[in-house]
Amino acid sequence: MEKIAIFFGPLNGSVHRVAKMVAEKIGPELVDLIHIGSASTSDLEKYSKIIFGISTIGKDTWQQKFDNNDWSKFFPAVSSFNFSGKRVAIFGLGDHITYAYHFVDSMGLLGKLIKNQGGEMFGKVSTEGYTFQDSEAIQEGMFIGLPVDEDFEPELTEERVSAWVNKLMTEF
Ligand SMILES: Cc1cc2nc3c(=O)[nH]c(=O)nc-3n(C[C@H](O)[C@H](O)[C@H](O)COP(=O)(O)O)c2cc1C
């Protein structure tokens, strides 16, 4: 059976922890967990089902969003990649208290980019149960992927990830 890829970054923080949790819930034998710091477009080509894990760091421009993290290097690869025929889902780490007006923005920007590049998005999530003011990750009233707040709602992460993975596996 073809494996699902989880491309994530950065290493050793909340995104990494949640990436491992997502892999665990899907079933580790069904997943390749790939750090984007050592990945290229040829790795994206190998998979038809791709999950991205990203955090929002900064809020004004792509440059600032991805400055000093793995996404600043991987982003150019994603923005030129043809995602036609790929089934894609995203989880995004953020902080709904400190950054209430930019909650998980990077997840939204990445999702829009993937759509523009021909990818089909799965794993949308209702805004119910989340408190925030604004987010680039909302499309047609839903989050484009799974928001996770390990800074202020870590107690909800496991439940959120489980529900998302269960739903995603029926859609993917
Ligand atoms: C400098 C900085 C800027 C941030 N900006 C945002 C933001 O605009 N929106 C948001 O939802 N979270 C923001 N966050 C919170 C992070 O996304 C959150 O802490 C996340 O869990 C970090 O995951 P990582 O350690 O794997 O990168 C910011 C954090 C830092 C340190």
Side-chain angles (χ1 to χ4, degrees), residues 31-142:
V31 174
D32 284 336
L33 199 52
I34 301 160
H35 171 226
I36 56 168
S38 49
S40 67
T41 47
S42 59
D43 297 299
L44 291 173
E45 269 158 23
K46 290 183 207 154
Y47 302 91
S48 60
K49 295 176 184 175
I50 297 170
I51 298 173
F52 286 109
I54 188 169
S55 53
T56 301
I57 305 290
K59 56 185 184 319
D60 294 323
T61 65
W62 274 115
Q63 196 58 39
Q64 278 171 291
K65 275 181 181 69
F66 297 126
D67 207 20
N68 294 327
N69 76 30
D70 298 324
W71 279 99
S72 62
K73 294 169 211 122
F74 198 60
F75 180 69
V78 172
S79 53
S80 60
F81 188 74
N82 179 2
F83 280 92
S84 305
K86 305 282 187 198
R87 301 164 86 80
V88 181
I90 309 178
F91 63 87
L93 272 291
D95 163 349
H96 80 288
I97 301 282
T98 320
Y99 304 97
Y101 285 89
H102 295 276
F103 184 47
V104 295
D105 273 1
S106 293
M107 176 168 79
L109 297 172
L110 179 62
K112 284 171 201 162
L113 185 83
I114 289 165
K115 269 184 153 176
N116 288 342
Q117 295 294 118
E120 200 179 349
M121 298 297 303
F122 294 85
K124 297 190 177 86
V125 169
S126 163
T127 56
E128 213 171 296
Y130 289 91
T131 308
F132 62 100
Q133 295 295 333
D134 203 1
S135 174
E136 292 276 344
I138 307 275
Q139 279 201 347
E140 292 160 12
M142 302 272 285

Side-chain angles (χ1 to χ4, degrees), residues 145-164:
L146 174 72
V148 178
D149 185 344
E150 279 280 272
D151 297 355
F152 287 100
E153 291 175 335
E155 72 283 1
L156 299 180
T157 299
E158 180 142 20
E159 191 185 317
R160 284 174 168 168
V161 169
S162 284
W164 186 66

